[in-house]
Amino acid sequence: MSRCKACDTILTETECKRMDYNTEGEHLDLCFSCMVESNKAILNETGILDQTINETLEELGFDVSNN
């Protein structure tokens, strides 16, 4: 039985099998919720998250300019 490194919940079978390809295939050891938050933090730090949100809003017809 494995536990999430971040929140200490018991991992499901699928979560236990998830691999982190950034570390050459080591197990991720994060539950789905913590993995999502981790990915959001990484994307936000690199600016990709804001860029993606703005692109999506523009595609939907929203004006994202600050004017």
Side-chain angles (χ1 to χ4, degrees), residues 9-10 20 24 30:
T9 61
I10 297 173
D20 183 358
E24 299 180 15
L30 291 175

Side-chain angles (χ1 to χ4, degrees), residues 4-8 29-30 34:
C4 176
K5 287 181 182 177
C7 70
D8 201 38
D29 294 333
L30 291 175
C34 291

